[in-house]
Structure formats: C-alpha cells, structure tokens
Amino acid sequence: MKSSSLRIILLLVVGSLSASAQADSLVSKATYFNSVYSGALLAKKGDGTSLSVSTIHGIRKNRLASGVGVGYDAYPDWRTLPVFASVGYDLSKPGKNDLFIQIMAGYAKAWVPETENSEYIYESKGGRIIHPLIGYRIRSGQFSLYFTAGYQWQRILYEEKIRGWDNPTSKVSIQREIQRISLQIGFGLH
C-alpha cells in the first residue's frame, strides 16, 4: 500500500513539473502555490466534531493544480497525520475569484492519545484517506483566501490489547472508518 501511494504521489508531482518552455504568450507557464487550511470535520450526532489542519504545496498550470500535502486531524478518540497528493481544477477561467474542485488522497498515520486509565493498549497501522471538496478562492495580489466544503473518508487499521496481558491471543485487529463533512477556511500564495 505504501509503495503504490508513494508512486502515485511522485507521478503527480513529476507530471505537474513539466511546464512548457515556450515563450509564446498564449501558453501559460506553471506557477508555484502553497496553501494552509484549518476547519472542522463534522460527524453524525454522537460522533463528535473534529479539528483539521493541512498544508499543500504544488504547481498550477492554467486551470489544473497538483501538489503534495500533510495535515493533522484531531478526532475525539484518535489523532491522524495524513500525507497526501492533491489534484484540483478551476471550474471558471482564471480570474480574481475562482470556483474549484479538488481531491486529496493518501495515507494517514493514526494513534490514540495515551491515557493512564485506559484498560487497552492500541497499536495503530494507520490507513487510507480520501477527501474530495469544492471551494471558492478569492485572490488579492499574490495572496489567496479559500473557503471549502467536502467529505473526508479515512480508514484506520489497529490492534487492541488489554493492558497488562502478555497473551498474544488477547490482541484484536480492528478496521474503523471515519467519515466527516469538512468545512475549512484557508490562505495561501500563488
């Protein structure tokens, strides 16, 4: 899983770096961008609201943007550190304000914050993350302000063991899916 995700990320990054070297004014060159997002991950009643922070660095050419990113998600029972590739497309012609779609996909390391009162010990393996979204970008000079809404799906694989037991059969392997609606605000350079 990790090697195939790494190959996809590298392919997206290398593919986005192939900017045209022509001096023709009709052909736009690729430009660097970065963005930082922060917001809430909203769940069904009882599952709790979560905090999400991420940053993306990449290349934009015409309406297409691709990059790589890293984030931090604080769920009520879990913490995750996603590393992902991002591909976006502007739905309107480049201008001062742009409506865009974007998808981020990758792998997230996951862990449970340690509590001494817990009767369980968790050994996490992490899992996949997919986050499609729609957003609105407002440009002012070299700065951009982003508003996004999307849906984040994350799979966490982990083993649960009762604290103090050394019996290997006391481990239980669990797969958990976390699904949230995301609402974020961000800023960046383009």
Side-chain angles (χ1 to χ4, degrees):
M1 168 60 198
K2 288 183 182 180
S3 65
S4 64
S5 294
L6 183 58
R7 286 181 193 147
I8 292 170
I9 291 169
L10 287 173
L11 181 63
L12 288 171
V13 170
V14 170
S16 69
L17 293 176
S18 61
S20 175
Q22 295 180 7
D24 187 355
S25 64
L26 297 176
V27 178
S28 68
K29 298 194 182 224
T31 58
Y32 168 79
F33 76 91
N34 69 1
S35 55
V36 176
Y37 296 92
S38 180
L41 298 172
L42 309 171
K44 295 178 187 174
K45 188 175 182 177
D47 286 340
T49 299
S50 310
L51 169 71
S52 179
V53 178
S54 61
T55 182
I56 301 172
H57 297 265
I59 302 293
R60 180 180 315 282
K61 183 172 181 183
N62 297 327
R63 293 182 175 188
L64 186 64
S66 62
V68 294
V70 63
Y72 174 79
D73 298 328
Y75 297 106
D77 298 333
W78 289 92
R79 305 297 182 262
T80 64
L81 185 67
V83 176
F84 53 87
S86 170
V87 176
Y89 182 77
D90 292 348
L91 297 173
S92 56
K93 291 183 179 180
K96 195 164 192 147
N97 302 330
D98 300 312
L99 183 64
F100 64 93
I101 56 173
Q102 182 176 341
I103 186 163
M104 296 174 278
Y107 182 84
K109 173 71 176 144
W111 68 94
V112 174
E114 289 296 322
T115 58
E116 293 182 18
N117 340 5
S118 176
E119 63 182 290
Y120 298 104
I121 298 172
Y122 298 96
E123 295 176 15
S124 174
K125 297 179 175 120
R128 286 183 246 165
I129 181 170
I130 299 173
H131 187 186
L133 57 89
I134 187 164
Y136 190 70
R137 179 176 51 249
I138 301 170
R139 295 181 186 190
S140 177
Q142 290 190 4
F143 297 98
S144 295
L145 181 63
Y146 299 88
F147 299 95
T148 68
Y151 189 79
Q152 182 168 303
W153 173 84
Q154 216 166 354
R155 177 177 289 158
I156 298 174
L157 303 172
Y158 63 97
E159 291 182 344
E160 183 178 80
K161 183 174 113 173
I162 297 176
R163 191 178 295 278
W165 286 30
D166 290 332
N167 182 357
T169 60
S170 69
K171 285 186 180 181
V172 177
S173 294
I174 301 170
Q175 175 177 302
R176 180 172 179 195
E177 291 189 9
I178 301 174
Q179 300 175 33
R180 298 281 196 271
I181 293 173
S182 70
L183 298 174
Q184 297 180 318
I185 187 168
F187 65 91
L189 296 171
H190 61 271

